[in-house]
Amino acid sequence: MLKELILILMAGVLVNNYVLQQFLGICPFLGVSKKVNQATGMGVAVIFVMLCATAVTWPIYHYILSPNFTYLQTIVFILVIAALVQFVEIVLKKFIPALHKSLGVYLPLITTNCAVLGVTINNITAEYSFLQSMISSLGVGLGFLLAMVLFAGVRSRMEGGDTPKAFKGIPITLIAASIVALAFFGFAGVVENLLT
Amino acid sequence: MTINKKLMILLRGIIMDNPVLILILGTCPTLATSTSVISAFSMGLAATAVLIGSNVVISALRKIIPEVVRIPCYIVIIATFVTLVQMLLQAFLPSIYDMLGVYLALIVVNCIILGRAEMFARKNNVLDSAIDGIGMGIGFLVALLIIATIREVLGAGSFAGIEIAFMKDFKIPVLAQAPGGFLVYGIVVAIMNKLTEKRGGVKRKSFSCEGCPTAHLCNKSSCDEANEAVKEGAENA
């Protein structure tokens, strides 16, 4: 049981890294990875929203939509996530202003982050239990944070480099992402053998 | 005159404002579904169908939808069309439905579609919006096919599932995997930069934030930070 949960967690963080292996959440990955502190803020906000979104969408799917209205999954999930992000922002602003100040700017950006919608849908498709879903979301969120922070570090070094003119900006960023993805590629198969 | 104008809208989507290669929107589905030509083609068509439908409906309702709640309205309209496409594919082309998997549902959060609603459909009439949808859709499809062709031919030694005998010994499998997606996309954008250089270069103001339809929600604060960083980088370079 515990072993299974650890496997789900590690798979989310390393093997099936959403950004670098599954291409979900690329926009914030390219847009907000300029500085390490920004990347960390965005990553923490994503973990937070992913956990909240899973905690809300899993019961909605299994107790309201299933089995007759499963075709409404896409519409309901995106609306729930959009409303949830607004709600979280209001609550944080009112009760924990310090946290809102550091995470607030990233929250609205997360509404259309495909990683959040992706993880909630994937949890349903994989037929995870509630606990497994939460662990999976935590793993995916941590993986997102890890990728963002690592890539912010890579980019800050890359800025000083002398790049050919045509490659300046987005192309060289994508190629750097490719090299980071190559590093994560090496994790395939590691986790399965870790615990056996 | 008017026909020329309509043609311009169409061409802008395909070439000048190509959503994938120039505006850098919709990166997630581009990278994820360009592993094979068939999945890229189906993704491009599915997204085009949703884009045309949502553009037409949003444009038709543009005077009814209140300004403040327009983003949630757009999301509901787009999600409706995505659900339609999902149900149709599941019923008639189940193999494609399985191949695209979660990325089919994720058309909802494809920045191209919400971006065109926000940037074009809510300001223009139904016909123009439909043409814009077709142009942007074809632009997305063409860009996906270019990237997918490179990745499938060099990475898997085949084209649309048909094996190329000559390529059998020269495969570069990593190109069909995740790292290759970033690499090929980066190189294609660089080639695009080089080609447009003579015409004064790509007028790309900043990173993806520019096209981000939710930018106004965050008062563009995090976007401005990102943009400043981009500008600093450009000045330093």
Side-chain angles (χ1 to χ4, degrees), chain A residues 19-27 29-31 34 38 71 74-75 78-79 86 105 108-109 111-112 114 117-118 121-122 155 159 165-171 173-175 177-178 181-182 185, chain B residues 24 27-28 31-32 75-76 79-80 83 86-87 102-103 105-106 108-109 111 114 174 177-179 182-183 185-187 189-190 193-194 197 204 207-208 212 214 217-218 221-222 225-226 229 237:
Chain A
V19 181
L20 295 167
Q21 299 297 332
Q22 312 227 2
F23 306 121
L24 295 172
I26 303 284
C27 297
F29 177 66
L30 295 178
K34 208 79 184 176
Q38 271 185 3
Y71 62 88
T74 312
I75 298 184
I78 185 72
L79 285 178
Q86 293 281 312
V105 289
L109 286 172
T111 317
T112 52
C114 39
L117 184 61
I121 294 177
N122 275 344
R155 265 181 93 170
E159 297 301 327
K165 201 176 166 211
F167 277 90
K168 279 213 169 71
I170 293 149
T173 312
L174 284 167
I175 288 165
S178 154
L182 207 55
F185 206 42
Chain B
I24 318 291
T27 40
C28 309
L31 290 165
I75 291 177
V76 175
T80 310
T83 309
Q86 269 183 308
M87 289 164 103
V102 71
Y103 298 103
L106 291 179
V108 178
V109 282
C111 333
L114 207 49
V174 78
Q177 308 280 2
F182 286 110
L183 188 69
Y185 189 20
I187 291 172
V189 174
N193 280 352
K194 191 75 192 166
E197 206 177 42
R204 185 191 293 129
F207 256 135
S208 24
C212 171
T214 44
L217 289 175
C218 62
S221 52
S222 49
E225 274 173 45

Coordinates of all heavy atoms in Angstrom, one line a residue, chain A residues 19-27 29-31 34 38 71 74-75 78-79 86 105 108-109 111-112 114 117-118 121-122 155 159 165-171 173-175 177-178 181-182 185, chain B residues 24 27-28 31-32 75-76 79-80 83 86-87 102-103 105-106 108-109 111 114 174 177-179 182-183 185-187 189-190 193-194 197 204 207-208 212 214 217-218 221-222 225-226 229 237:
Chain A
V19 N 6.0 18.5 -17.1 CA 6.5 19.5 -18.0 C 7.4 18.9 -19.0 O 7.3 19.1 -20.2 CB 7.2 20.6 -17.2 CG1 7.7 21.6 -18.2 CG2 6.3 21.2 -16.2
L20 N 8.4 18.1 -18.5 CA 9.5 17.6 -19.4 C 9.2 16.3 -20.2 O 9.8 16.1 -21.2 CB 10.8 17.5 -18.6 CG 11.2 18.8 -18.0 CD1 12.3 18.6 -17.0 CD2 11.8 19.7 -19.1
Q21 N 8.3 15.5 -19.7 CA 8.0 14.3 -20.4 C 6.7 14.2 -21.0 O 6.4 13.6 -22.0 CB 8.2 13.1 -19.4 CG 9.6 12.9 -18.8 CD 10.6 12.7 -19.9 OE1 10.4 12.1 -20.9 NE2 11.9 13.1 -19.6
Q22 N 5.7 14.9 -20.4 CA 4.3 14.9 -21.0 C 3.9 16.2 -21.6 O 2.8 16.3 -22.1 CB 3.3 14.5 -19.8 CG 3.8 13.4 -19.0 CD 2.7 12.4 -18.8 OE1 1.6 12.5 -19.3 NE2 3.0 11.3 -18.1
F23 N 4.7 17.2 -21.6 CA 4.4 18.5 -22.2 C 3.1 19.1 -21.7 O 2.3 19.5 -22.5 CB 4.3 18.3 -23.7 CG 5.5 17.7 -24.3 CD1 5.4 16.5 -25.1 CD2 6.7 18.3 -24.2 CE1 6.5 16.0 -25.6 CE2 7.8 17.8 -24.8 CZ 7.7 16.6 -25.5
L24 N 2.9 19.1 -20.4 CA 1.7 19.8 -19.9 C 2.3 21.0 -19.1 O 3.2 20.9 -18.3 CB 0.9 18.9 -19.0 CG 0.2 17.8 -19.8 CD1 -0.5 16.8 -18.8 CD2 -0.8 18.3 -20.7
G25 N 1.7 22.2 -19.2 CA 2.1 23.3 -18.5 C 3.3 24.0 -19.1 O 4.2 24.5 -18.3
I26 N 3.5 24.0 -20.4 CA 4.7 24.5 -21.0 C 4.7 26.1 -20.9 O 5.7 26.7 -20.8 CB 4.8 24.1 -22.5 CG1 4.8 22.6 -22.6 CG2 6.0 24.7 -23.1 CD1 6.1 21.9 -22.2
C27 N 3.5 26.7 -21.1 CA 3.4 28.2 -21.1 C 4.1 28.8 -19.8 O 5.0 29.6 -20.0 CB 2.0 28.7 -21.3 SG 1.3 28.2 -22.8
F29 N 6.0 27.3 -17.8 CA 7.4 26.8 -17.8 C 8.4 27.7 -18.6 O 9.5 28.0 -18.2 CB 7.4 25.4 -18.3 CG 8.8 24.7 -18.4 CD1 9.5 24.4 -17.3 CD2 9.3 24.4 -19.6 CE1 10.7 23.8 -17.4 CE2 10.6 23.8 -19.7 CZ 11.2 23.5 -18.6
L30 N 7.9 28.2 -19.8 CA 8.7 29.1 -20.6 C 8.6 30.5 -20.1 O 9.6 31.3 -20.2 CB 8.3 29.0 -22.0 CG 8.6 27.6 -22.7 CD1 8.1 27.7 -24.2 CD2 10.0 27.3 -22.7
G31 N 7.4 30.9 -19.6 CA 7.2 32.3 -19.3 C 7.7 32.8 -18.0 O 8.2 33.9 -17.9
K34 N 12.2 32.7 -15.6 CA 13.4 33.6 -15.8 C 14.2 33.7 -14.6 O 15.5 33.7 -14.6 CB 12.9 35.0 -16.2 CG 13.8 35.8 -17.1 CD 13.7 35.3 -18.5 CE 14.8 36.1 -19.3 NZ 14.8 35.6 -20.7
Q38 N 10.9 33.5 -8.9 CA 9.6 33.5 -9.6 C 9.2 32.1 -9.8 O 8.0 31.7 -9.6 CB 9.8 34.2 -10.9 CG 9.5 35.7 -10.9 CD 9.5 36.3 -12.3 OE1 9.7 35.6 -13.3 NE2 9.4 37.6 -12.3
Y71 N -19.9 12.5 -19.5 CA -19.5 13.3 -20.6 C -19.4 14.8 -20.3 O -18.8 15.6 -21.1 CB -20.5 13.1 -21.8 CG -21.9 13.5 -21.5 CD1 -22.3 14.8 -21.7 CD2 -22.8 12.6 -20.9 CE1 -23.6 15.2 -21.4 CE2 -24.1 13.0 -20.6 CZ -24.5 14.3 -20.9 OH -25.7 14.7 -20.6
T74 N -15.3 17.4 -18.9 CA -14.4 18.5 -19.3 C -15.0 19.8 -18.9 O -14.3 20.6 -18.3 CB -14.3 18.4 -20.8 OG1 -14.0 17.1 -21.2 CG2 -13.2 19.4 -21.3
I75 N -16.2 20.1 -19.2 CA -16.9 21.4 -18.8 C -16.8 21.6 -17.3 O -16.4 22.6 -16.8 CB -18.3 21.4 -19.3 CG1 -18.4 21.3 -20.9 CG2 -19.0 22.7 -18.9 CD1 -19.7 21.4 -21.4
I78 N -13.2 22.2 -15.8 CA -12.5 23.5 -16.1 C -13.2 24.6 -15.3 O -12.6 25.5 -14.8 CB -12.4 23.8 -17.6 CG1 -11.6 25.0 -17.9 CG2 -13.8 23.9 -18.3 CD1 -10.2 24.9 -17.7
L79 N -14.6 24.5 -15.2 CA -15.3 25.5 -14.5 C -14.9 25.5 -13.0 O -14.7 26.5 -12.3 CB -16.8 25.4 -14.7 CG -17.3 25.9 -16.0 CD1 -18.8 25.7 -16.2 CD2 -16.9 27.3 -16.2
Q86 N -10.2 31.4 -8.3 CA -10.7 32.7 -7.8 C -10.9 32.7 -6.3 O -10.5 33.6 -5.6 CB -12.0 33.0 -8.5 CG -11.8 33.3 -10.0 CD -11.3 34.7 -10.3 OE1 -11.8 35.7 -9.8 NE2 -10.3 34.8 -11.1
V105 N 0.1 36.8 -7.6 CA 0.2 37.1 -9.0 C 0.2 35.8 -9.9 O -0.1 35.9 -11.0 CB 1.5 37.9 -9.3 CG1 1.4 39.3 -8.8 CG2 2.8 37.2 -8.8
P108 N -3.9 33.6 -10.9 CA -4.8 33.7 -12.1 C -4.2 33.0 -13.3 O -4.9 32.4 -14.2 CB -5.0 35.2 -12.4 CG -4.6 35.8 -11.1 CD -3.6 34.9 -10.5
L109 N -2.9 33.0 -13.4 CA -2.2 32.3 -14.5 C -2.5 30.8 -14.6 O -2.3 30.2 -15.6 CB -0.7 32.6 -14.5 CG -0.2 33.9 -14.8 CD1 1.3 34.0 -14.5 CD2 -0.4 34.2 -16.3
T111 N -5.3 29.3 -14.0 CA -6.6 28.8 -14.4 C -6.5 28.1 -15.8 O -7.1 27.0 -16.0 CB -7.5 30.0 -14.7 OG1 -7.3 30.9 -13.5 CG2 -8.9 29.6 -14.8
T112 N -5.7 28.6 -16.7 CA -5.6 28.0 -18.0 C -4.3 27.2 -18.1 O -3.8 27.0 -19.2 CB -5.6 29.0 -19.1 OG1 -4.6 30.0 -18.8 CG2 -7.0 29.6 -19.3
C114 N -2.6 23.9 -18.4 CA -3.2 22.6 -18.7 C -2.7 21.5 -17.7 O -3.3 20.5 -17.6 CB -2.9 22.2 -20.1 SG -1.3 22.6 -20.8
L117 N -5.6 20.9 -15.1 CA -6.7 20.1 -15.7 C -6.3 18.7 -16.1 O -7.0 17.8 -15.9 CB -7.3 20.9 -17.0 CG -8.5 20.3 -17.6 CD1 -9.7 20.2 -16.7 CD2 -8.9 21.0 -18.9
G118 N -5.0 18.7 -16.6 CA -4.5 17.4 -17.0 C -4.4 16.4 -15.8 O -4.8 15.2 -16.0
I121 N -7.9 15.1 -14.7 CA -8.4 14.1 -15.7 C -7.7 12.8 -15.6 O -8.2 11.7 -15.6 CB -8.4 14.7 -17.1 CG1 -9.4 15.9 -17.2 CG2 -8.8 13.6 -18.1 CD1 -9.4 16.6 -18.5
N122 N -6.3 12.9 -15.6 CA -5.5 11.7 -15.5 C -5.8 10.8 -14.3 O -5.8 9.6 -14.3 CB -4.0 12.0 -15.6 CG -3.5 12.2 -17.0 OD1 -4.2 11.8 -17.9 ND2 -2.4 12.8 -17.1
R155 N 18.6 28.5 -17.2 CA 18.4 29.7 -18.1 C 19.2 30.9 -17.6 O 19.7 31.7 -18.4 CB 16.9 30.2 -18.0 CG 16.1 29.6 -19.1 CD 14.7 30.1 -19.1 NE 14.5 31.3 -19.8 CZ 13.3 31.8 -20.1 NH1 12.3 31.2 -19.6 NH2 13.2 32.9 -20.8
E159 N 21.7 32.9 -20.2 CA 21.5 34.3 -20.7 C 22.9 35.0 -21.0 O 22.9 35.8 -21.9 CB 20.9 35.2 -19.6 CG 19.5 34.7 -19.2 CD 18.5 34.8 -20.4 OE1 18.7 35.7 -21.2 OE2 17.6 34.0 -20.4
K165 N 22.1 34.7 -33.8 CA 20.9 35.7 -33.7 C 19.6 35.0 -33.9 O 18.6 35.3 -33.2 CB 21.1 36.7 -34.8 CG 20.3 38.0 -34.6 CD 20.6 39.1 -35.6 CE 19.5 40.1 -35.5 NZ 19.3 40.7 -36.8
A166 N 19.5 34.0 -34.9 CA 18.2 33.4 -35.1 C 17.8 32.6 -33.9 O 16.6 32.3 -33.8 CB 18.4 32.5 -36.4
F167 N 18.7 32.2 -33.1 CA 18.3 31.3 -32.0 C 18.0 32.1 -30.7 O 17.6 31.5 -29.7 CB 19.5 30.3 -31.7 CG 19.4 29.1 -32.5 CD1 20.1 29.1 -33.7 CD2 18.7 28.0 -32.1 CE1 20.1 27.9 -34.5 CE2 18.7 26.9 -32.9 CZ 19.4 26.8 -34.1
K168 N 18.2 33.4 -30.7 CA 17.9 34.2 -29.5 C 16.5 34.1 -29.1 O 15.6 34.0 -29.9 CB 18.2 35.7 -29.8 CG 19.7 35.9 -29.7 CD 20.0 37.3 -29.2 CE 21.5 37.5 -28.9 NZ 22.3 37.5 -30.1
G169 N 16.3 34.1 -27.7 CA 15.0 34.1 -27.2 C 14.4 32.7 -27.1 O 15.0 31.8 -26.5
I170 N 13.2 32.5 -27.8 CA 12.5 31.2 -27.6 C 13.3 30.0 -28.1 O 13.3 29.0 -27.4 CB 11.1 31.4 -28.3 CG1 10.3 32.4 -27.5 CG2 10.4 30.0 -28.3 CD1 9.3 33.1 -28.3
P171 N 13.9 30.0 -29.3 CA 14.5 28.8 -29.8 C 15.5 28.2 -28.9 O 15.5 27.0 -28.5 CB 15.1 29.2 -31.1 CG 14.3 30.4 -31.6 CD 13.9 31.1 -30.4
T173 N 15.8 28.7 -25.7 CA 15.1 28.3 -24.5 C 14.6 26.9 -24.7 O 14.7 26.0 -23.8 CB 14.0 29.3 -24.1 OG1 14.5 30.6 -24.2 CG2 13.5 29.0 -22.8
L174 N 14.0 26.7 -25.9 CA 13.4 25.3 -26.1 C 14.5 24.3 -26.2 O 14.3 23.2 -25.7 CB 12.6 25.4 -27.4 CG 11.3 26.0 -27.4 CD1 10.7 26.3 -28.8 CD2 10.3 25.2 -26.6
I175 N 15.6 24.7 -26.8 CA 16.7 23.7 -26.9 C 17.3 23.4 -25.5 O 17.6 22.2 -25.2 CB 17.8 24.2 -27.9 CG1 17.2 24.1 -29.3 CG2 19.1 23.4 -27.8 CD1 17.9 24.8 -30.4
A177 N 15.6 23.5 -22.8 CA 14.6 22.6 -22.2 C 14.7 21.2 -22.7 O 14.5 20.2 -21.9 CB 13.2 23.1 -22.6
S178 N 15.1 21.0 -24.0 CA 15.3 19.7 -24.5 C 16.5 19.0 -23.8 O 16.4 17.8 -23.5 CB 15.7 19.8 -26.0 OG 16.4 18.8 -26.4
A181 N 15.2 18.0 -20.4 CA 14.3 16.8 -20.6 C 15.1 15.5 -20.8 O 14.7 14.5 -20.3 CB 13.4 17.1 -21.8
L182 N 16.2 15.7 -21.5 CA 17.1 14.5 -21.7 C 17.6 14.0 -20.4 O 17.7 12.8 -20.2 CB 18.3 15.0 -22.6 CG 18.9 13.9 -23.5 CD1 17.9 13.2 -24.4 CD2 20.0 14.6 -24.4
F185 N 14.9 12.1 -18.8 CA 14.7 10.9 -19.6 C 15.5 9.7 -18.9 O 15.0 8.6 -18.9 CB 15.3 11.1 -21.0 CG 14.7 10.3 -22.0 CD1 13.3 10.1 -22.0 CD2 15.5 9.7 -23.0 CE1 12.7 9.4 -23.0 CE2 14.9 9.0 -24.0 CZ 13.5 8.8 -24.0
Chain B
I24 N 4.0 31.6 -30.7 CA 4.3 30.7 -29.7 C 3.1 30.5 -28.7 O 3.2 30.6 -27.5 CB 5.6 31.1 -28.9 CG1 6.7 31.6 -29.8 CG2 6.1 30.0 -28.1 CD1 7.3 30.6 -30.7
T27 N 1.7 25.6 -27.2 CA 3.0 24.8 -27.2 C 2.7 23.4 -26.7 O 3.3 22.5 -27.2 CB 4.1 25.5 -26.3 OG1 3.4 26.0 -25.1 CG2 4.7 26.6 -27.0
C28 N 1.8 23.2 -25.7 CA 1.7 21.9 -25.1 C 1.2 20.9 -26.1 O 1.8 19.9 -26.3 CB 0.7 21.9 -23.9 SG 1.2 23.2 -22.7
L31 N 3.9 20.1 -28.9 CA 5.0 19.2 -28.5 C 4.5 17.8 -28.3 O 5.1 16.8 -28.7 CB 5.7 19.7 -27.2 CG 6.5 21.0 -27.4 CD1 6.8 21.6 -26.1 CD2 7.8 20.7 -28.2
A32 N 3.3 17.7 -27.7 CA 2.8 16.4 -27.2 C 2.3 15.5 -28.4 O 2.5 14.3 -28.4 CB 1.7 16.5 -26.2
I75 N -15.0 30.1 -21.8 CA -14.5 28.8 -21.5 C -15.7 27.8 -21.6 O -15.5 26.7 -22.1 CB -13.9 28.8 -20.0 CG1 -12.6 29.6 -20.0 CG2 -13.7 27.4 -19.5 CD1 -12.0 29.7 -18.6
V76 N -16.9 28.2 -21.2 CA -18.0 27.3 -21.3 C -18.3 27.0 -22.8 O -18.5 25.8 -23.2 CB -19.3 27.9 -20.7 CG1 -20.5 27.0 -20.9 CG2 -19.1 28.1 -19.2
A79 N -15.5 24.7 -24.1 CA -15.6 23.4 -23.5 C -16.8 22.6 -24.1 O -16.7 21.4 -24.3 CB -15.8 23.5 -22.0
T80 N -17.9 23.3 -24.5 CA -19.0 22.6 -25.2 C -18.5 22.0 -26.5 O -18.8 20.9 -26.8 CB -20.1 23.6 -25.4 OG1 -20.4 24.3 -24.2 CG2 -21.3 22.9 -25.9
T83 N -16.3 19.0 -25.9 CA -17.1 17.9 -25.6 C -17.7 17.2 -26.8 O -17.7 16.0 -27.0 CB -18.1 18.2 -24.5 OG1 -17.5 18.9 -23.5 CG2 -18.8 17.0 -24.0
Q86 N -15.1 15.4 -28.7 CA -14.7 14.2 -28.0 C -15.7 13.1 -28.2 O -15.4 12.0 -28.5 CB -14.7 14.5 -26.5 CG -13.4 15.0 -25.9 CD -13.5 15.2 -24.4 OE1 -14.3 15.9 -23.9 NE2 -12.5 14.6 -23.7
M87 N -17.0 13.5 -28.1 CA -18.1 12.5 -28.3 C -18.1 11.9 -29.7 O -18.3 10.7 -29.9 CB -19.5 13.1 -27.9 CG -19.6 13.3 -26.5 SD -21.0 14.4 -26.1 CE -22.2 13.3 -25.6
V102 N -5.7 12.4 -23.2 CA -6.0 13.5 -22.4 C -5.8 14.8 -23.1 O -6.5 15.8 -22.9 CB -5.1 13.5 -21.1 CG1 -3.7 13.8 -21.4 CG2 -5.7 14.5 -20.1
Y103 N -5.0 14.8 -24.2 CA -4.8 16.1 -24.9 C -6.0 16.5 -25.7 O -6.1 17.7 -26.0 CB -3.6 15.9 -25.9 CG -2.3 15.6 -25.1 CD1 -1.8 14.3 -25.1 CD2 -1.7 16.6 -24.4 CE1 -0.7 14.0 -24.4 CE2 -0.5 16.3 -23.7 CZ 0.0 15.0 -23.7 OH 1.1 14.7 -22.9
A105 N -9.1 16.5 -24.4 CA -9.8 17.3 -23.4 C -9.1 18.6 -23.2 O -9.7 19.6 -22.9 CB -10.0 16.5 -22.1
L106 N -7.8 18.6 -23.3 CA -7.0 19.8 -23.0 C -7.1 20.8 -24.1 O -6.5 21.9 -23.9 CB -5.5 19.4 -22.7 CG -5.4 18.6 -21.4 CD1 -3.9 18.2 -21.2 CD2 -5.8 19.4 -20.2
V108 N -9.5 22.5 -24.4 CA -10.2 23.6 -23.7 C -9.2 24.7 -23.2 O -9.5 25.9 -23.3 CB -10.8 23.0 -22.4 CG1 -11.5 24.1 -21.6 CG2 -11.9 21.9 -22.8
V109 N -8.0 24.3 -22.7 CA -7.1 25.3 -22.2 C -6.0 25.6 -23.2 O -5.0 26.2 -22.9 CB -6.5 24.8 -20.9 CG1 -7.4 25.0 -19.8 CG2 -6.0 23.4 -21.0
C111 N -4.2 27.8 -25.5 CA -4.2 29.3 -25.5 C -4.6 29.8 -26.9 O -5.1 30.9 -27.0 CB -2.8 29.8 -25.2 SG -1.8 28.8 -24.2
L114 N -8.7 30.3 -26.8 CA -9.1 31.4 -25.9 C -8.5 32.7 -26.4 O -9.1 33.8 -26.3 CB -8.6 31.1 -24.5 CG -9.4 31.7 -23.3 CD1 -10.9 31.4 -23.5 CD2 -9.0 31.1 -22.0
V174 N 15.6 9.3 -30.2 CA 15.3 10.4 -29.2 C 14.4 11.5 -29.8 O 13.7 12.1 -29.1 CB 16.6 10.9 -28.6 CG1 17.3 11.9 -29.6 CG2 16.4 11.6 -27.3
Q177 N 11.0 11.0 -29.0 CA 10.7 11.1 -27.6 C 10.6 12.5 -27.1 O 10.7 13.5 -27.9 CB 11.8 10.4 -26.8 CG 12.1 9.0 -27.3 CD 11.2 8.0 -26.8 OE1 10.2 8.3 -26.1 NE2 11.4 6.7 -27.1
A178 N 10.3 12.7 -25.8 CA 10.1 14.1 -25.3 C 11.2 15.1 -25.6 O 10.9 16.2 -26.1 CB 9.8 14.0 -23.8
P179 N 12.5 14.7 -25.3 CA 13.5 15.8 -25.5 C 13.6 16.2 -27.0 O 13.8 17.4 -27.2 CB 14.8 15.0 -25.1 CG 14.4 13.9 -24.2 CD 13.1 13.5 -24.7
F182 N 11.2 19.2 -27.9 CA 11.7 20.5 -27.6 C 12.7 20.9 -28.6 O 12.7 22.1 -29.1 CB 12.3 20.6 -26.2 CG 11.4 20.6 -25.1 CD1 11.2 19.4 -24.2 CD2 10.6 21.7 -24.8 CE1 10.4 19.4 -23.2 CE2 9.7 21.7 -23.7 CZ 9.6 20.5 -22.9
L183 N 13.6 20.0 -28.9 CA 14.7 20.3 -29.8 C 14.2 20.7 -31.2 O 14.6 21.7 -31.8 CB 15.6 19.1 -29.9 CG 17.0 19.3 -30.7 CD1 17.9 20.2 -29.9 CD2 17.6 17.9 -30.9
Y185 N 11.2 21.6 -32.2 CA 10.4 22.8 -32.1 C 11.3 24.1 -32.1 O 11.1 25.0 -32.8 CB 9.5 22.8 -30.9 CG 8.5 23.9 -30.8 CD1 8.1 24.6 -31.9 CD2 7.8 24.2 -29.6 CE1 7.1 25.6 -31.8 CE2 6.9 25.1 -29.5 CZ 6.5 25.9 -30.6 OH 5.6 26.8 -30.5
G186 N 12.4 24.0 -31.2 CA 13.3 25.1 -31.1 C 14.0 25.4 -32.4 O 14.1 26.6 -32.8
I187 N 14.4 24.3 -33.1 CA 15.1 24.5 -34.4 C 14.2 25.1 -35.5 O 14.5 26.0 -36.2 CB 15.8 23.2 -34.8 CG1 16.9 22.9 -33.9 CG2 16.3 23.3 -36.3 CD1 17.5 21.5 -34.1
V189 N 11.5 27.0 -35.0 CA 11.3 28.4 -34.7 C 12.5 29.2 -35.1 O 12.4 30.3 -35.6 CB 11.0 28.6 -33.2 CG1 10.9 30.1 -32.8 CG2 9.7 27.9 -32.8
A190 N 13.7 28.7 -34.8 CA 14.9 29.4 -35.2 C 15.0 29.6 -36.7 O 15.3 30.7 -37.2 CB 16.2 28.7 -34.8
N193 N 12.7 32.3 -37.6 CA 13.3 33.6 -37.3 C 14.2 34.0 -38.5 O 14.2 35.2 -38.9 CB 14.1 33.5 -36.1 CG 13.3 33.6 -34.8 OD1 12.1 33.9 -34.9 ND2 13.9 33.4 -33.7
K194 N 15.0 33.1 -38.9 CA 16.0 33.4 -40.0 C 15.3 33.8 -41.3 O 15.7 34.7 -41.9 CB 16.8 32.1 -40.2 CG 18.1 32.3 -41.1 CD 19.2 33.0 -40.3 CE 20.3 33.5 -41.2 NZ 21.1 34.5 -40.5
E197 N 13.8 37.2 -41.1 CA 14.7 38.3 -40.7 C 14.8 39.3 -41.8 O 14.8 40.5 -41.5 CB 16.1 37.6 -40.6 CG 17.1 38.4 -39.7 CD 18.4 37.6 -39.5 OE1 18.8 37.0 -40.6 OE2 18.9 37.5 -38.4
R204 N 7.7 40.0 -32.6 CA 7.2 39.3 -31.4 C 7.5 40.1 -30.2 O 8.7 40.4 -30.0 CB 7.9 37.9 -31.3 CG 7.4 37.1 -30.2 CD 8.2 35.9 -30.0 NE 8.2 34.9 -31.2 CZ 9.2 34.5 -31.8 NH1 10.4 34.9 -31.5 NH2 9.1 33.6 -32.8
F207 N 7.3 36.9 -24.6 CA 7.0 35.5 -24.5 C 5.5 35.3 -24.5 O 4.7 36.2 -24.7 CB 7.6 35.0 -23.2 CG 8.8 34.2 -23.4 CD1 9.9 34.3 -22.7 CD2 8.8 33.2 -24.4 CE1 11.0 33.6 -22.9 CE2 9.9 32.5 -24.7 CZ 11.0 32.6 -23.9
S208 N 5.1 34.1 -24.2 CA 3.7 33.6 -24.3 C 2.7 34.5 -23.5 O 1.6 34.5 -23.8 CB 3.6 32.2 -23.8 OG 4.7 31.9 -22.9
C212 N -1.5 35.5 -23.8 CA -2.2 34.9 -22.7 C -3.6 35.6 -22.4 O -3.6 36.8 -22.1 CB -1.4 34.9 -21.4 SG -2.3 34.3 -19.9
T214 N -5.7 35.4 -20.2 CA -6.0 35.7 -18.8 C -5.1 36.8 -18.2 O -5.1 37.1 -17.0 CB -5.9 34.5 -17.9 OG1 -4.7 33.8 -18.2 CG2 -7.1 33.6 -18.0
L217 N -6.4 39.4 -16.0 CA -6.8 39.0 -14.6 C -5.7 39.3 -13.6 O -6.0 39.7 -12.5 CB -7.2 37.6 -14.6 CG -8.4 37.2 -15.3 CD1 -8.6 35.7 -15.3 CD2 -9.6 37.8 -14.7
C218 N -4.5 39.1 -14.0 CA -3.4 39.3 -13.1 C -2.8 40.7 -13.2 O -1.7 41.0 -12.8 CB -2.3 38.2 -13.2 SG -1.5 38.2 -14.8
S221 N 0.8 41.9 -14.1 CA 2.0 42.2 -13.3 C 3.1 41.2 -13.5 O 4.2 41.5 -13.7 CB 1.6 42.2 -11.8 OG 0.9 41.1 -11.5
S222 N 2.7 39.9 -13.5 CA 3.7 38.9 -13.7 C 4.2 38.9 -15.1 O 5.4 38.5 -15.4 CB 3.2 37.5 -13.2 OG 2.0 37.2 -13.8
E225 N 6.8 41.6 -15.5 CA 8.1 41.2 -15.0 C 8.8 40.3 -16.0 O 10.0 40.5 -16.3 CB 7.9 40.4 -13.7 CG 7.8 41.2 -12.5 CD 7.5 40.4 -11.2 OE1 8.0 39.3 -11.1 OE2 6.6 40.8 -10.5
A226 N 8.0 39.4 -16.6 CA 8.6 38.5 -17.5 C 9.1 39.2 -18.8 O 10.2 39.0 -19.3 CB 7.6 37.4 -17.9
A229 N 12.2 41.2 -18.2 CA 13.4 40.3 -18.2 C 13.8 40.0 -19.6 O 14.9 40.0 -20.0 CB 13.0 39.0 -17.4
A237 N 22.1 41.5 -25.1 CA 22.6 40.6 -26.1 C 23.2 41.4 -27.3 O 23.2 42.5 -27.4 CB 21.5 39.7 -26.6

